[in-house]
């Protein structure tokens, strides 16, 4: 087992990035990004690969307590630094401390500030009772709570989200270690510590950082419930509460969480979960489903499923009308097989997609690690054949990313983000399973990644008739 991220592979990731970036720049020079986006991408990529390789080797044998302190405070420091940098950067670029073309983030902020003088009773009815959809209500409630205590400033909620994001790194370690061993736990947490996308969202007023914390906290507690020999009211109540909370952030996310739990209970080996406990947890799952049926959450889910095809068609039509002539080919059939490596990085300047350009380095890292995710899946299914005991992580990832892939947001980095921590765990597991035989696949992947990057730039420009 390989317990660290080899410097040879990390260096290859950096070299391939510079090669792909140079190729896109030279072939599509007229649509080059602004210079600061090149610098950001270079910083994200070099920082991730060099730091994960160095730290995974340096921390491979240090005591667990020391490891967790390193992970938490380094994660927190990086996220705090980005919060302050992005605050001043966006203020200088847009005139307000919000990202380019801010939509949801401004709405979250204005809703929370507008509720400061409203009673909690009225807020509860407004967000959870007198509403047709509960998605986003949980985050507005959370921001309102912070606004009532700390006022209208935008920095404090982002710093709090950074604390939750750093805590998520520790939860990833616990979840991965329990499922795949100490080596995978350490490596996946180090990946999460330095992952550009997870750092980036701490500087925005969006729900993703806190929502990902809830996802990983739920999966970690649900996994503990499945595996523990002793369980209490608290060990059952916590994952139930977290699952219900997820519905108030993104309905499909909550549904994927419940599906993953039921799948884990059904498929996990009897040596881990006994017969009586399996029956009890399945009964709990049925009771939860019945509780949701007929309520606002279930109605929202039904509406989403019924309108999915219409929403996809409308989004593709809108993109085509805006000049994106090839958008109609990005169907669920095409995008679903790619769900473990999406989204592709935007390395050209089109449609003023500045946020995507700022994050192109992080998305490249996701593409590069996708090869190790595929090795992990193959290993769990055909080599170690321990997929049954990894069914909680696997089923959640496949269920959520699968739904996003067949929707109109199959390459939307923001919608795909909740699956990223699980993909990092899988990538870490894939690296620990590397050997001479499957490394041949990674050598092929080294050729695939630059082709994907270049092809995406060609697609974005060609579909708009820009060359």
């Amino acid at each position: 087992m390989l317990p660290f991220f080899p410097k040879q592979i990390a260096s290859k990731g950096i070299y391939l990035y510079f090669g792909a970036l140079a190729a896109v720049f030279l072939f599509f020079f007229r649509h080059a990004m602004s210079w600061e986006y090149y610098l950001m991408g270079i910083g994200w990529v070099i920082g991730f690969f060099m730091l994960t390789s160095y730290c995974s080797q340096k921390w491979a044998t240090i005591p667990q307590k020391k490891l967790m302190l390193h992970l938490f405070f380094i994660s927190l420091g990086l996220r705090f630094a980005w919060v302050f940098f992005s605050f001043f950067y966006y203020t200088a670029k847009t005139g307000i401390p919000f990202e380019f073309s801010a939509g949801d983030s401004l709405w979250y902020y204005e809703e929370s500030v507008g509720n400061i003088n409203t009673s909690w009773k009225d807020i509860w009815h407004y967000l959870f009772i007198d509403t047709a959809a509960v998605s986003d209500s949980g985050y507005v409630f959370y921001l309102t709570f912070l606004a009532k205590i700390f006022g209208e400033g935008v920095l404090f909620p982002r710093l709090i989200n950074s604390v939750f994001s750093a805590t998520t790194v520790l939860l990833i370690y616990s979840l991965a270690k329990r499922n795949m061993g100490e080596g995978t736990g350490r490596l996946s947490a180090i990946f999460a510590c330095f992952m550009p996308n997870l750092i980036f969202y701490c500087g925005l007023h969006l729900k993703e950082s806190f929502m990902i914390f809830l996802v990983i906290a739920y999966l970690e507690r649900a996994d503990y419930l499945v595996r523990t020999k002793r369980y209490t009211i608290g060990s059952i109540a916590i994952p139930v509460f977290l699952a219900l909370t997820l519905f108030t952030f993104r309905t499909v996310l909550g549904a994927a969480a419940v599906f993953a739990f039921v799948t884990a209970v059904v498929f996990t080996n009897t040596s881990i979960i006994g017969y009586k406990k399996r029956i009890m947890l399945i009964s709990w799952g049925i009771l939860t489903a019945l509780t949701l049926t007929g309520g606002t959450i279930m109605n929202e889910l039904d509406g989403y499923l019924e309108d999915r095809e219409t929403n996809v068609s409308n989004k593709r039509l809108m993109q085509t009308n805006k000049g994106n002539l090839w958008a109609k080919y990005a169907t669920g059939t095409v995008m679903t097989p790619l769900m473990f490596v999406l989204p592709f990085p935007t390395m050209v300047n089109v449609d003023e997609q500045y946020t995507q350009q700022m994050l192109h380095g992080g998305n490249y890292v996701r593409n590069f690690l996708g090869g190790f995710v595929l090795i992990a899946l193959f290993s769990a299914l055909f080599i170690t054949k321990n997929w049954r005991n990894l069914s909680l992580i696997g089923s959640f990832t496949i269920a959520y990313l699968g739904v996003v892939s067949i929707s109109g947001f199959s390459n939307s980095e923001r919608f795909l983000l909740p699956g990223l921590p699980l993909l990092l765990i899988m990538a870490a597991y894939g690296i620990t399973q590397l050997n001479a035989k499957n490394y041949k696949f990674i050598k092929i992947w080294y050729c695939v990644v630059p082709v994907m990057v270049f092809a995406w730039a060609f697609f974005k420009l060609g579909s708009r008739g820009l060359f």
Side-chain angles (χ1 to χ4, degrees):
M1 186 182 83
L2 196 62
F4 57 88
F5 191 37
K7 184 178 180 180
Q8 176 187 359
I9 297 177
S11 298
K12 186 68 71 172
I14 295 173
Y15 299 150
L16 291 175
Y17 167 75
F18 276 106
L21 189 67
V24 172
F25 177 80
L26 292 174
F27 276 87
F28 309 112
F29 179 80
R30 293 175 53 197
H31 304 283
M33 300 183 292
S34 179
W35 64 268
E36 64 256 39
Y37 303 143
Y38 286 102
L39 290 181
M40 287 182 188
I42 291 169
W44 289 129
V45 171
I46 293 179
F48 176 84
F49 284 112
M50 290 187 65
L51 289 171
T52 52
S53 177
Y54 174 80
C55 292
S56 64
Q57 296 180 60
K58 190 78 172 178
W59 299 347
T61 57
I62 64 173
Q64 178 178 312
K65 185 176 181 180
K66 188 175 182 179
L67 170 71
M68 297 188 78
L69 287 174
H70 285 343
L71 286 170
F72 180 78
F73 286 109
I74 291 176
S75 297
L76 190 63
L78 290 171
R79 285 152 176 78
F80 274 10
W82 179 256
V83 166
F84 286 108
F85 170 81
S86 60
F87 177 89
F88 292 110
Y89 176 80
Y90 285 130
T91 301
K93 289 291 185 177
T94 68
I96 56 175
F98 290 85
E99 71 275 16
F100 302 98
S101 304
D104 288 349
S105 56
L106 271 176
W107 182 79
Y108 293 140
Y109 173 73
E110 291 168 354
E111 284 286 300
S112 61
V113 171
N115 288 332
I116 287 180
N117 297 318
T118 306
S119 69
W120 281 115
K121 180 180 178 181
D122 290 339
I123 291 172
W124 183 265
H125 274 270
Y126 169 63
L127 294 176
F128 300 107
I129 307 300
D130 304 326
T131 180
V134 296
S135 289
D136 292 329
S137 295
Y139 189 59
V140 174
F141 184 86
Y142 160 75
L143 287 181
T144 299
F145 176 80
L146 296 181
K148 279 180 172 287
I149 298 175
F150 300 104
E152 300 181 4
V154 300
L155 271 176
F156 191 81
R158 297 176 189 181
L159 293 174
I160 293 296
N161 283 345
S162 298
V163 175
F164 282 114
S165 182
T167 305
T168 301
V169 174
L170 304 184
L171 293 173
I172 288 172
Y173 167 73
S174 177
L175 177 63
K177 175 187 174 183
R178 193 183 299 125
N179 281 266
M180 303 171 184
E182 180 69 29
T184 301
R186 292 186 179 225
L187 186 54
S188 58
I190 291 170
F191 279 168
C193 175
F194 297 110
M195 187 64 204
N197 304 61
L198 299 181
I199 297 172
F200 181 86
Y201 274 87
C202 292
L204 304 180
H205 223 72
L206 294 169
K207 63 184 178 181
E208 272 63 28
S209 293
F210 187 59
M211 183 170 67
I212 289 173
F213 163 77
L214 293 175
V215 169
I216 302 303
Y218 164 77
L219 291 173
E220 196 278 331
R221 287 294 84 192
D223 180 71
Y224 173 81
L225 178 60
V226 169
R227 293 173 182 272
T228 186
K229 301 299 181 183
R230 296 181 180 181
Y231 46 90
T232 63
I233 293 176
S235 65
I236 297 175
I238 291 174
V240 171
F241 171 76
L242 290 171
L244 292 175
T245 302
L246 285 174
F247 282 99
T248 69
F249 279 73
R250 187 171 293 163
T251 312
V252 175
L253 204 59
V258 174
F259 170 79
F261 179 79
V262 173
T263 302
V265 172
V266 171
F267 287 102
T268 301
N269 286 333
T270 307
S271 60
I272 294 177
I273 177 172
Y275 177 76
K276 291 182 179 180
K277 185 179 178 183
R278 193 190 302 271
I279 296 298
M280 185 273 290
L281 293 178
I282 290 176
S283 300
W284 168 77
I286 294 173
L287 180 62
T288 302
L290 292 175
T291 301
L292 296 175
T293 303
T296 302
I297 292 175
M298 199 63 190
N299 292 336
E300 189 173 345
L301 258 182
D302 288 340
Y304 176 86
L305 293 173
E306 291 174 2
D307 297 338
R308 178 182 60 81
E309 293 294 340
T310 302
N311 292 338
V312 172
S313 299
N314 289 341
K315 188 169 189 292
R316 298 301 177 222
L317 180 61
M318 178 187 68
Q319 291 173 323
T320 302
N321 291 337
K322 291 172 66 175
N324 194 346
L325 303 177
W326 297 348
K328 60 184 178 181
Y329 300 114
T331 63
T333 304
V334 174
M335 304 304 283
T336 300
L338 301 172
M339 64 181 175
F340 296 112
V341 299
L342 292 172
F344 298 125
T346 297
M347 294 185 178
V348 288
N349 183 20
V350 292
D351 299 339
E352 298 184 347
Q353 296 175 351
Y354 301 128
T355 298
Q356 293 185 39
Q357 294 172 54
M358 291 174 70
L359 258 180
H360 80 266
N363 290 341
Y364 166 82
V365 170
R366 294 184 64 160
N367 298 160
F368 185 85
L369 293 180
F372 302 100
V373 173
L374 297 178
I375 286 180
L377 292 171
F378 183 84
S379 178
L381 289 171
F382 303 110
I383 306 300
T384 61
K385 297 182 180 180
N386 61 339
W387 65 269
R388 295 173 65 91
N389 297 336
L390 306 177
S391 55
L392 180 70
I393 293 175
S395 59
F396 175 85
T397 307
I398 293 171
Y400 179 72
L401 294 182
V403 170
V404 174
S405 296
I406 61 175
S407 71
F409 304 95
S410 51
N411 197 60
S412 171
E413 188 274 338
R414 183 181 165 195
F415 278 86
L416 292 167
L417 192 68
L420 176 58
L422 289 311
L423 294 177
L424 294 179
I425 293 175
M426 292 182 183
Y429 181 64
I431 289 170
T432 64
Q433 300 301 306
L434 276 181
N435 53 45
K437 186 176 181 179
N438 57 30
Y439 187 64
K440 295 178 181 178
F441 169 76
I442 293 300
K443 289 182 177 179
I444 298 174
W445 193 251
Y446 290 157
C447 300
V448 172
V449 172
V451 171
M452 289 193 301
V453 172
F454 187 87
W456 183 244
F458 178 85
F459 179 88
K460 298 208 78 162
L461 295 173
S463 65
R464 291 163 175 81
L466 296 178
F467 64 79

